[in-house]
């Protein structure tokens, strides 16, 4: 009897723990400190105590779900297999959707560093699979005795790229990502976000039809206020995730009145973090989880 009660309490705690407290999200892991969207970056973010790992996913030619912000090789930090840097002229031709994952993995994404982030450690790494990333992070959490975290997974999708830099249909892209997520994690440990509202609308319909499990959805926006965002979606997402500089206290309250959480991006200055927290946001996304530790 006591064992049953203990298990029930543990289940209840695990279910509710992510709905409480301030959500500190490590952007692309911890991009300010380690190569973005890499396993070393996610491990660094875990060491720094984030509650959520934020990451982006694209699709390879052989239909693998790859952790990458761009659907191509970014000239800022990617090195070709022959050891030479990817040039700005050729980056767009190195289309992940036209490359097998084995080809993608041969490109280094960390040893050059990133000039935009001078604190970033230069270390050899590559674009990992989503499945590999989750497996590595879960093993690291267990090994280090860390608390469980959420995974905020962004589907990198733009209408102009349908069929060229990504699958031709939102259904194919979404189904590939969903299958990888659901094989690895319970729905309550995942957030699915996107700037492409077609993606969010598709996921919402699949969840409503019980084709997908009830994964919370987050609307990423740059300039759109919450009212216009919710109108365009046709439903209320679990999260409204705007560019932090355009967010107001009134907008936060508007969202909270509708039971929508607010998690702005990408807040890197400590004073900005304090100010944005003061207007009542539920969390923030940052390249520097180390700067937000005391929030």
């Amino acid at each position: 009897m006591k064992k049953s009660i203990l298990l029930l309490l543990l289940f209840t705690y695990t279910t509710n723990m992510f709905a409480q407290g301030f959500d500190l999200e490590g952007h692309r892991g911890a991009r300010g400190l380690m190569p973005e969207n890499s396993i070393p970056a996610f491990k660094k973010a875990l060491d720094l105590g984030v509650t959520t790992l934020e990451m982006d996913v694209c699709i390879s030619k052989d239909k693998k779900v790859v952790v990458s912000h761009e659907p191509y090789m970014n000239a800022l930090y990617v090195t070709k297999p022959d050891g030479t840097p990817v040039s700005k002229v050729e980056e767009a031709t190195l289309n992940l959707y036209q490359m097998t994952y084995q080809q993608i993995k041969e490109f280094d994404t960390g040893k050059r560093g990133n000039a935009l982030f001078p604190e970033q450690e230069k270390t050899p790494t590559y674009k990992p699979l989503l499945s590999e990333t989750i497996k590595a992070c879960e093993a690291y959490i267990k090994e280090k005795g860390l608390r469980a975290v959420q995974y905020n997974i962004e589907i990198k999708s733009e209408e102009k790229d349908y069929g060229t830099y990504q699958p031709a249909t939102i259904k194919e892209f979404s189904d590939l990502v969903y299958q990888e997520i659901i094989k690895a994690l319970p729905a309550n440990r995942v957030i699915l976000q996107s700037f492409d509202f077609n993606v969010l609308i598709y996921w919402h319909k699949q969840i409503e039809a019980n084709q997908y499990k009830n994964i919370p959805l987050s609307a990423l926006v740059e300039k759109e206020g919450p009212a216009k965002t919710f109108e365009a979606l046709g439903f209320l997402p679990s999260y409204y995730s705007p560019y932090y500089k355009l967010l107001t206290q009134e907008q936060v309250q508007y969202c909270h009145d509708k039971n929508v959480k607010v998690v702005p991006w990408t807040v890197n200055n400590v004073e900005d973090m304090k100010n944005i927290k003061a207007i009542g946001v539920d969390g923030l996304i940052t390249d520097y989880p180390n700067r937000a530790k005391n929030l």
Side-chain angles (χ1 to χ4, degrees), residues 15-27:
T15 302
N16 293 332
M17 66 182 293
F18 302 112
Q20 301 171 356
F22 192 77
D23 185 19
L24 175 59
E25 301 199 12
H27 186 232

Side-chain angles (χ1 to χ4, degrees), residues 63-82:
K63 309 303 181 184
K64 304 292 185 183
V65 182
V66 184
V67 179
S68 176
H69 183 260
E70 293 86 17
Y72 55 84
M73 295 295 178
N74 193 319
L76 271 173
Y77 55 85
V78 178
T79 302
K80 292 184 288 188
D82 65 5

Side-chain angles (χ1 to χ4, degrees), residues 42-293:
F42 297 124
K43 288 182 175 179
K44 183 69 172 180
L46 290 170
D47 286 337
L48 292 170
V50 301
T51 49
T52 299
L53 295 171
E54 192 272 353
M55 62 192 67
D56 313 277
V57 291
C58 299
I59 304 298
S60 68
K61 182 178 181 179
D62 49 350
K63 309 303 181 184
K64 304 292 185 183
V65 182
V66 184
V67 179
S68 176
H69 183 260
E70 293 86 17
Y72 55 84
M73 295 295 178
N74 193 319
L76 271 173
Y77 55 85
V78 178
T79 302
K80 292 184 288 188
D82 65 5
T84 60
V86 170
S87 70
K88 191 66 181 175
V89 172
E90 66 187 337
E91 67 174 8
T93 67
L94 296 169
N95 179 350
L96 303 192
Y97 191 55
Q98 301 302 326
M99 301 167 69
T100 66
Y101 180 64
Q102 188 55 49
Q103 291 173 316
I104 291 168
K105 193 174 180 180
E106 291 175 0
F107 287 74
D108 181 274
T109 60
K111 67 183 181 182
R112 286 172 53 203
N114 185 330
L116 299 179
F117 299 93
E119 294 177 41
Q120 187 183 104
E121 181 179 324
K122 296 178 181 179
T123 184
T125 189
Y126 57 91
K127 295 181 184 291
L129 293 173
L130 177 61
S131 57
E132 176 189 10
T133 299
I134 295 171
K135 184 176 180 181
C137 291
E138 291 298 291
Y140 192 73
I141 288 168
K142 185 176 181 180
E143 174 194 344
K144 297 292 185 178
L146 303 172
R147 63 182 176 183
V149 296
Q150 285 183 299
Y151 293 77
N152 187 0
I153 299 169
E154 179 182 347
I155 287 185
K156 297 303 299 183
S157 173
E158 293 188 58
E159 287 191 32
K160 66 179 179 62
D161 291 338
Y162 292 3
T164 54
Y165 282 91
Q166 65 184 75
T169 67
I170 290 300
K171 172 180 167 49
E172 182 182 2
F173 199 157
S174 297
D175 288 352
L176 287 169
V177 174
Y178 177 78
Q179 290 304 322
E180 291 301 321
I181 288 172
I182 219 64
K183 281 190 293 187
L185 294 165
N188 74 311
R189 288 187 59 199
V190 181
I191 301 166
L192 190 286
Q193 65 176 0
S194 188
F195 282 101
D196 186 346
F197 285 8
N198 293 329
V199 169
L200 299 178
I201 290 167
Y202 178 81
W203 279 67
H204 178 69
K205 287 180 178 177
Q206 292 300 97
I207 291 167
E208 290 283 289
N210 293 317
Q211 297 301 306
Y212 283 6
K213 292 188 179 180
N214 191 18
I215 292 173
L217 303 178
S218 177
L220 282 166
V221 300
E222 289 193 38
K223 297 178 180 178
E224 297 83 0
K228 287 188 176 180
T229 295
F230 303 158
E231 182 183 357
L233 285 173
F235 69 92
L236 291 175
S238 296
Y239 295 85
Y240 172 69
S241 192
Y243 180 45
Y244 80 97
K245 287 188 177 181
L246 302 181
L247 183 64
T248 67
Q249 189 167 9
E250 290 73 25
Q251 289 176 330
V252 174
Q253 188 60 54
Y254 179 87
C255 290
H256 286 171
D257 288 345
K258 296 183 179 298
N259 202 31
V260 175
K261 293 183 178 180
V262 182
V263 180
W265 54 272
T266 300
V267 196
N268 288 337
N269 178 277
V270 174
E271 284 305 309
D272 289 335
M273 292 176 183
K274 292 177 180 177
N275 293 337
I276 206 74
K277 187 172 188 291
I279 67 172
V281 298
D282 300 281
L284 61 82
I285 301 171
T286 181
D287 291 314
Y288 298 93
N290 56 317
R291 298 179 185 176
K293 284 182 71 175

